[in-house]
Amino acid sequence: MKQQSEMILIGGGLIGLSLAVELKLRGATVTVLSRNQQEAAGLVAAGMLAPQAEQIPSGPMLDLCLRSRALYNDWTRKLEEMTGLETGYWPCGILAPVYERPDCTTLPQTPETPSYWLERDAILHQQPGLGNDVVGGWWFPQDAQVDNRRGLIKTLQTAAQELGVTIIEGITVEKIVTSPDQKVTEVQTNQGIFRADHYILTTGAWSGELLSIPVYPRKGQMLSVRVPDDFKSLPLQQVLFGSNIYIVPRRDGLIVIGATSEPVGFTTGLTPQGVETLLSDAIRLYPILKEFPIQEFWWGFRPETPDLFPILGPSSWDNLTLAVGHYRNGILLAPVTAQLIANWVLNAQSDPLLHHFRSDRFQTLR
């Protein structure tokens, strides 16, 4: 079987679908080759949009994250209008409680990135029920969340299909074939050979299996609980971003708790230690959770790079572009990745910010 397409995206997770929709809206012909979307990091993450709560240092990564956060409202609204579905975007803000008072309680900020230190009485007023060990914390009103598992992924899938993107699920790319003149000539799969004018790699934690690029899996275990029916209102109205734990409430009463961070390769499955750590850390931060019924456990693999920055832009081959290695920020960076990579692929427009995320910053890249 031989197929011809203007653009082939290798990888059908959140980044691949976001980019496919963007390219299609700009008039490209797009085929997405997806091995197993259920494995995608974008389907198992908590959906936090938290560049400030993460306290990413000033520099290109923070600039990239803040730019993407600023796109989220319009981006999700456009997707919802296209499909009639809900993405679950909620600009609820993020509260970051701490157990030890820092020496400095002032963080760098601009009018677009306000942050507020709250002493214990103030943080308990903002969020009643926090644990006894909490001494204070920061309030980041511009940080947000999106329901990636039940909302955003489905909305992107529907938008791509309605726009005419060809999505082939259950297909494994076995080899990217290149020529001496620095071109990709085809991709070989378990369903035949596919050819295109341009190829984009969006394979997340599995990217290093296809190309010699430094992207590695970092396993995370997660779980969810639900607010009992006898609660008259939701006890959490913002995300709690604690020490090695985050608690993300949805508007329908589901609460997502995550996540472990384990350098164990592609080792699958839950572990007693991982689950126990999540539960104990979450209950310490917000004790009432011990009374809430557990709904689900799951795990996934973040795509980690040596400097924890994504790899975006050109590769060693003229017609292969990279959009991988988003690590903890794939959900947050989806709209800006789609925008910047589409500009590069379709118009050869390289945003100055892209320079900091090129693959050639790693000398090990071949």
Side-chain angles (χ1 to χ4, degrees), residues 205-270:
W206 289 265
S207 301
E209 295 186 343
L210 281 174
L211 290 180
S212 181
I213 53 177
V215 180
Y216 317 104
R218 171 73 66 155
K219 181 180 173 182
Q221 300 181 51
M222 301 183 67
L223 63 93
S224 62
V225 300
R226 180 167 289 280
V227 177
D229 294 337
D230 56 359
F231 275 70
K232 294 181 180 179
S233 61
L234 295 181
L236 281 174
Q237 294 291 335
Q238 64 266 308
V239 174
L240 298 182
F241 190 98
S243 175
N244 300 316
I245 196 76
Y246 43 80
I247 302 170
V248 185
R250 307 297 195 212
R251 282 173 160 151
D252 66 351
L254 191 74
I255 299 176
V256 177
I257 298 170
T260 63
S261 181
E262 306 166 51
V264 294
F266 285 109
T267 302
T268 62
L270 300 160

Side-chain angles (χ1 to χ4, degrees), residues 14-15 18 42 72 303 326-335 337:
L14 183 74
I15 296 298
S18 302
Y72 238 91
H326 291 75
Y327 189 42
R328 293 169 59 96
N329 292 293
I331 306 291
L332 169 61
L333 292 174
T337 297

Side-chain angles (χ1 to χ4, degrees), residues 118-273:
L118 305 179
E119 298 289 354
R120 178 168 171 81
D121 288 347
I123 201 171
L124 288 176
H125 179 76
Q126 173 85 10
Q127 179 55 64
L130 294 175
N132 292 332
D133 295 336
V134 171
V135 300
W138 281 279
W139 168 237
F140 302 107
Q142 298 301 311
D143 278 351
Q145 63 155 296
V146 67
D147 192 343
N148 50 298
R149 301 190 79 206
R150 300 179 300 168
L152 182 58
I153 281 280
K154 292 180 180 179
T155 305
L156 283 167
Q157 280 180 311
T158 302
Q161 291 165 352
E162 291 182 353
L163 288 168
V165 173
T166 300
I167 302 175
I168 306 176
E169 182 69 22
I171 184 168
T172 300
V173 174
E174 299 168 343
K175 184 177 182 181
I176 298 174
V177 181
T178 60
S179 64
D181 61 350
Q182 300 302 304
K183 296 276 190 181
V184 172
T185 58
E186 62 188 30
V187 291
Q188 297 177 357
T189 80
N190 63 338
Q191 297 184 28
I193 293 172
F194 288 76
R195 296 190 180 96
D197 300 321
H198 201 96
Y199 304 81
I200 305 175
L201 192 68
T202 59
T203 41
W206 289 265
S207 301
E209 295 186 343
L210 281 174
L211 290 180
S212 181
I213 53 177
V215 180
Y216 317 104
R218 171 73 66 155
K219 181 180 173 182
Q221 300 181 51
M222 301 183 67
L223 63 93
S224 62
V225 300
R226 180 167 289 280
V227 177
D229 294 337
D230 56 359
F231 275 70
K232 294 181 180 179
S233 61
L234 295 181
L236 281 174
Q237 294 291 335
Q238 64 266 308
V239 174
L240 298 182
F241 190 98
S243 175
N244 300 316
I245 196 76
Y246 43 80
I247 302 170
V248 185
R250 307 297 195 212
R251 282 173 160 151
D252 66 351
L254 191 74
I255 299 176
V256 177
I257 298 170
T260 63
S261 181
E262 306 166 51
V264 294
F266 285 109
T267 302
T268 62
L270 300 160
T271 64
Q273 181 179 6

Side-chain angles (χ1 to χ4, degrees), residues 17-170:
L17 289 174
S18 302
L19 187 49
V21 168
E22 184 69 22
L23 290 167
K24 190 65 178 178
L25 285 170
R26 300 192 192 193
T29 300
V30 183
T31 296
V32 176
L33 307 181
S34 176
R35 183 179 66 183
N36 181 2
Q37 194 192 76
Q38 299 304 308
E39 294 179 337
L43 193 59
V44 299
M48 291 186 301
L49 312 176
Q52 290 184 261
E54 293 265 11
Q55 296 197 26
I56 298 171
S58 296
M61 184 61 177
L62 180 60
D63 293 344
L64 187 72
C65 290
L66 290 175
R67 186 187 296 188
S68 201
R69 188 185 69 179
L71 294 173
Y72 238 91
N73 183 61
D74 290 344
W75 184 62
T76 52
R77 186 173 66 245
K78 180 173 69 174
L79 290 171
E80 290 173 350
E81 290 173 351
M82 288 169 55
T83 63
L85 301 176
E86 294 290 331
T87 60
Y89 172 65
W90 184 10
C92 59
I94 294 182
L95 195 63
V98 297
Y99 300 129
E100 295 182 8
R101 196 178 194 280
D103 294 334
C104 179
T105 57
T106 301
L107 296 176
Q109 58 181 306
T110 69
E112 292 75 33
T113 58
S115 62
Y116 305 96
W117 170 258
L118 305 179
E119 298 289 354
R120 178 168 171 81
D121 288 347
I123 201 171
L124 288 176
H125 179 76
Q126 173 85 10
Q127 179 55 64
L130 294 175
N132 292 332
D133 295 336
V134 171
V135 300
W138 281 279
W139 168 237
F140 302 107
Q142 298 301 311
D143 278 351
Q145 63 155 296
V146 67
D147 192 343
N148 50 298
R149 301 190 79 206
R150 300 179 300 168
L152 182 58
I153 281 280
K154 292 180 180 179
T155 305
L156 283 167
Q157 280 180 311
T158 302
Q161 291 165 352
E162 291 182 353
L163 288 168
V165 173
T166 300
I167 302 175
I168 306 176
E169 182 69 22

